[in-house]
Amino acid sequence: MRIPCPFCGERDLQEYSFLGEAGLKRPDPKADDAQQQFHDYVHIRKNKAGLTNELWQHIHGCRSWIVVRRDTLTHEIFSSEFASDTLKEPAK
Amino acid sequence: MKYSVFSLIHQAIRGQKDWTPVWRDPEPKEEYDIVLIGGGGHGLATAYYLAKEHGLKNIAVLEKGYIGGGSVGRNTTIVRSNYQEPGNIPFYELSLKLWEGLEQDLNYNVMMSQRGVLNLYHSDSQRDEYARRGNAMAMHGVDGELLNRDQVREMVPFLDFENGRFPIQGGLLQRRGGTARHDAVAWGFARGADSRGVDILQNTEAKQIRVENGKAVGVETNRGFIKAKKIGIVAAGNTTRVAETAGLRLPIESYVLQAFVSEANKPLVPCVVTFGAGHFYISQSDKGGLVFGASLDYYTSYAARGNLPAVEDTIEEAIAIMPGISRIRLLRHWGGIMDMSMDGSPIIDKTDIDGLYLNCGWCYGGFKATPGSGFCFAHLIAKDEMHPAAKALRLKRFETGHVIDEAGTGAQPNLH
C-alpha cells in the first residue's frame, strides 16, 4: 500500500501511522447524556467494509495528520487531504 | 461412523472405499429453534455443545463460505491459558481443560499436542511482570513456571541468548499449553454437531437479521428466509457487518493479521516460543514447517491479505531470536480478519434485542478459545444466563468501566 501525502507525494505505508476512523466528534461534557456520548465516542466504531475516511499521520515524513479515503475491502486508496482542512466541517 | 483403530484396519483392508462424508449437506429448513451465523470454529463448537450439553436438536449453522475456510483455518494453532486478568483466566482455563479432553469427546484426532508455551523475558522488569502473571495464574490453579536463562537454554539452545539489544534472561513456561491442528478442530466439531442433528449450511450467507418489535425473528439468506427463535452472531472478523443489519453498533474494529509457514524442516523448535521484546510467536508443525506470526497490519481491513511492512517486521523479529533460521525459505503466508475489541478481550453476551446473542471480539486469541467459547455461548443461548467462567465478558463492560485490558493499551484496538 502506498499512500499519497498532500505535502510529500506518494510514500510507502511504512512512513505512516494509523489512528482510525476520521470525523469522530468529541462530545460536549456538559450534555445531559455526556457519559453515554463519551462511551460511544471512545468505544463504538462504524468499522465499515468498503469506502472509509481514516486518520493517518505521516509520522516518518512531514508529520502531517491526513484524512485518507480508502476501501477496506480492496486496500485501494482514492484520495488524501490535510486533516486540518477537512475536519473543520462536520464529517460527512 | 465411529473412528477407531478397528475402523482404520477395516478400511485399510477394504481399500479405503467405505468412508462416508464427515457431515451432511442438508437443504435449509423453514424454521429452526436456534440459528448460528458463522460456521467457524466457535460457531460449530457452539452448535456442538448446544446439542451435546443441552440436548437441543433443531439448530442450524450458516456459513457463507465453506467449513474451515475462515479464521479457524488461518491461525497459528496455539493453545494456552497463561492470562493475567481475573475476568480472562477462568475462561481460558476452562477452554484449555476442554482441549485436554477434546479428542475423546469428539472421537476425532485434533492432534492436540501439549508441548508447552514459553514466553521469553529480556529484562529485569519484564521478569517481574512475568512473575506477577505466573502468580495470578497460580492463584487460579493454572500451571506456570518461571525459568531462568540456563533452564531456557536447556530447552531451546538455538536462541540468540547474547543478543546485544534484547538478551534472553529467561521465560515463563506453561507446560500444558501447546498446539492443535486447526482444520481438524473445525472438522471435528462439524462432525460432532452434524451427528447430533445440527444442520450445517455451507455457502449460505446471512444478508439481514430480521427484527420485529424488538425481537429477532429470523435471517434473510441467499437461500431464502430462515425463521429462528434464537439467533447467535459468531461471525469473527465480519461481526460488525452482520450485527449492523440488526441495528447494533459495536466496540469492534476489523484488522488483518498475517501468518507464515516455512518449508518442512527436521525437528527444531520443541515448544511454542514467543519473543518478549516484540510480538512474535513460533512453533513447528508435525509436518516440520515453522509456523509463526507477529503483529497486525495496523490499519482496518476486511481484505484477507496484508502488506509487506508487516512481513518484514515479522521476519526481523524471527531473526532477532533465532538467527539460525535466516536461510529457511517461506512456503506460504496468508492473512485473516481479526475482530479486535476495544480492550483486547472477547464478548459473549445477550444484546438488547430479544433472542439475539453475540460472540465476538476474539482479537488474536480466537483459536485457543474455540471449545471454551462454544461451551459458554451454548450455555448462554440455552439457559439465558452467563456461564460462570465467562461472566466478565459482557458487552456493556465498556459502558460500566469493567474493561479487561490485558495489554493495558486502552481503547486502541490495533495496539492489543
Side-chain angles (χ1 to χ4, degrees), chain A residues 1 12-14 18-19 35-36 39-40 42-49 54 56 70 72-75, chain B residues 240-241 249-254 298-303 305 307 309 312 342 398-399 411-412 414:
Chain A
M1 219 155 76
D12 190 79
L13 175 64
Q14 267 177 309
F18 175 81
L19 182 66
Q35 190 158 349
Q36 184 62 39
H39 162 260
D40 292 1
V42 175
H43 295 294
I44 302 295
R45 296 289 178 269
K46 285 193 202 113
N47 193 21
K48 226 172 120 188
E54 301 167 329
W56 292 73
R70 188 174 68 94
T72 55
L73 286 165
T74 62
H75 296 168
Chain B
T240 305
R241 298 167 82 180
R249 297 164 64 238
L250 298 176
I252 299 283
E253 282 184 352
S254 298
Y298 286 104
Y299 46 86
T300 54
S301 171
Y302 283 92
R305 58 188 163 76
N307 270 287
E312 187 177 2
M342 284 290 164
F398 302 95
E399 284 177 36
Q412 192 62 34
N414 55 359

Side-chain angles (χ1 to χ4, degrees), chain A residues 1-77:
Chain A
M1 219 155 76
R2 288 172 71 80
I3 298 174
C5 171
F7 189 75
C8 309
E10 190 182 278
R11 295 301 181 101
D12 190 79
L13 175 64
Q14 267 177 309
E15 294 186 11
Y16 293 86
S17 95
F18 175 81
L19 182 66
E21 208 169 295
L24 295 171
K25 281 280 178 204
R26 189 179 169 82
D28 175 8
K30 294 195 187 100
D32 291 341
D33 60 344
Q35 190 158 349
Q36 184 62 39
Q37 280 194 47
F38 267 97
H39 162 260
D40 292 1
Y41 170 69
V42 175
H43 295 294
I44 302 295
R45 296 289 178 269
K46 285 193 202 113
N47 193 21
K48 226 172 120 188
L51 276 180
T52 55
N53 291 326
E54 301 167 329
L55 271 170
W56 292 73
Q57 189 182 17
H58 194 189
I59 192 139
H60 298 302
C62 63
R63 302 187 64 82
S64 301
W65 279 99
I66 60 175
V67 174
V68 176
R69 192 156 172 76
R70 188 174 68 94
D71 190 331
T72 55
L73 286 165
T74 62
H75 296 168
E76 190 178 358
I77 292 167

Side-chain angles (χ1 to χ4, degrees), chain B residues 235-411:
Chain B
N238 286 302
T239 299
T240 305
R241 298 167 82 180
V242 176
E244 73 185 4
T245 70
L248 294 178
R249 297 164 64 238
L250 298 176
I252 299 283
E253 282 184 352
S254 298
Y255 288 81
V256 59
L257 174 65
Q258 300 187 62
F260 306 80
V261 63
S262 78
E263 61 189 352
N265 296 281
K266 289 192 174 173
L268 171 68
V269 187
C271 58
V272 179
V273 181
T274 76
F275 179 41
H279 185 195
F280 174 79
Y281 35 95
I282 186 166
S283 64
Q284 189 166 18
S285 77
D286 291 349
K287 249 191 288 184
L290 299 176
V291 183
F292 55 93
S295 295
L296 299 168
D297 282 41
Y298 286 104
Y299 46 86
T300 54
S301 171
Y302 283 92
R305 58 188 163 76
N307 270 287
L308 289 172
V311 177
E312 187 177 2
D313 181 60
T314 306
I315 305 299
E316 279 172 358
E317 292 190 61
I319 304 310
I321 55 167
M322 294 187 192
I325 63 172
S326 66
R327 305 284 290 272
I328 285 175
R329 283 170 296 189
L330 278 183
L331 191 63
R332 298 191 293 278
H333 89 283
W334 62 94
I337 310 168
M338 306 294 113
D339 40 335
M340 302 298 293
S341 69
M342 284 290 164
D343 61 356
S345 294
I347 295 163
I348 300 178
D349 206 350
K350 295 187 241 188
T351 67
D352 289 336
I353 298 167
D354 204 18
L356 187 61
Y357 302 81
L358 187 64
N359 177 326
C360 66
W362 292 100
C363 302
Y364 292 69
F367 181 71
K368 72 178 85 70
T370 305
S373 161
F375 197 85
C376 294
F377 198 40
H379 187 276
L380 173 69
I381 293 174
K383 303 194 166 182
D384 264 318
E385 61 189 43
M386 304 289 283
H387 188 279
K391 62 179 191 295
L393 309 178
R394 309 301 301 257
L395 174 58
K396 297 275 186 208
R397 68 176 183 264
F398 302 95
E399 284 177 36
T400 59
H402 297 93
V403 293
I404 312 167
D405 195 342
E406 288 276 343
T409 49

Side-chain angles (χ1 to χ4, degrees), chain B residues 49-67:
Chain B
Y49 288 117
L50 277 169
K52 176 171 173 267
E53 298 293 324
H54 304 284
L56 301 170
K57 289 264 175 290
N58 195 19
I59 304 166
V61 178
L62 311 185
E63 168 54 47
K64 76 171 175 179
Y66 60 93
I67 296 302

Side-chain angles (χ1 to χ4, degrees), chain B residues 22-274:
Chain B
V22 175
W23 58 84
R24 298 164 295 132
D25 188 17
E27 282 299 308
K29 288 194 257 178
E30 263 178 37
E31 181 174 359
Y32 290 95
D33 291 340
I34 299 165
V35 167
L36 298 165
I37 301 173
H42 292 214
L44 295 167
T46 306
Y48 172 75
Y49 288 117
L50 277 169
K52 176 171 173 267
E53 298 293 324
H54 304 284
L56 301 170
K57 289 264 175 290
N58 195 19
I59 304 166
V61 178
L62 311 185
E63 168 54 47
K64 76 171 175 179
Y66 60 93
I67 296 302
S71 295
V72 71
R74 289 169 177 269
N75 53 74
T76 42
T77 77
I78 297 167
V79 173
R80 59 184 177 88
S81 67
N82 52 1
Y83 281 73
Q84 181 171 285
E85 295 296 315
N88 274 339
I89 302 177
F91 171 77
Y92 285 104
E93 179 58 13
L94 168 76
S95 194
L96 184 54
K97 289 212 172 92
L98 289 168
W99 276 110
E100 288 176 325
L102 196 60
E103 287 161 342
Q104 287 70 29
D105 191 30
L106 291 175
N107 177 232
Y108 202 90
N109 185 6
V110 300
M111 296 166 74
M112 175 67 185
S113 161
Q114 292 181 294
R115 57 185 69 182
V117 172
L118 176 64
N119 302 138
L120 301 174
Y121 60 77
H122 307 264
S123 65
D124 290 355
S125 58
Q126 197 170 30
R127 178 201 58 215
D128 295 350
E129 191 199 321
Y130 279 18
R132 180 172 168 240
R133 171 145 56 115
N135 289 337
M137 288 154 60
M139 287 173 74
H140 284 84
V142 182
D143 70 307
E145 290 165 52
L146 199 65
L147 305 186
N148 62 29
R149 177 194 285 225
D150 291 337
Q151 289 167 305
V152 172
R153 205 189 281 272
E154 209 164 283
M155 282 183 69
V156 276
F158 50 85
L159 298 182
D160 186 7
F161 286 84
E162 311 302 333
N163 185 296
R165 201 166 165 205
F166 303 117
I168 294 164
Q169 293 197 2
L172 178 64
L173 173 67
Q174 186 182 27
R175 290 193 193 273
R176 286 164 62 237
T179 60
R181 170 133 193 245
H182 50 1
D183 300 318
V185 174
W187 299 332
F189 274 119
R191 173 172 171 267
D194 178 85
S195 67
R196 284 171 172 77
V198 173
D199 281 0
I200 297 169
L201 307 173
Q202 298 183 82
N203 300 310
T204 308
E205 184 176 358
K207 301 271 193 196
Q208 171 87 37
I209 297 171
R210 198 185 284 177
V211 180
E212 286 171 9
N213 304 321
K215 187 177 177 354
V217 294
V219 185
E220 297 284 357
T221 75
N222 56 339
R223 295 169 78 180
F225 180 68
I226 298 175
K227 262 177 87 173
K229 295 196 179 78
K230 291 180 176 179
I231 298 170
I233 300 174
V234 212
N238 286 302
T239 299
T240 305
R241 298 167 82 180
V242 176
E244 73 185 4
T245 70
L248 294 178
R249 297 164 64 238
L250 298 176
I252 299 283
E253 282 184 352
S254 298
Y255 288 81
V256 59
L257 174 65
Q258 300 187 62
F260 306 80
V261 63
S262 78
E263 61 189 352
N265 296 281
K266 289 192 174 173
L268 171 68
V269 187
C271 58
V272 179
V273 181
T274 76

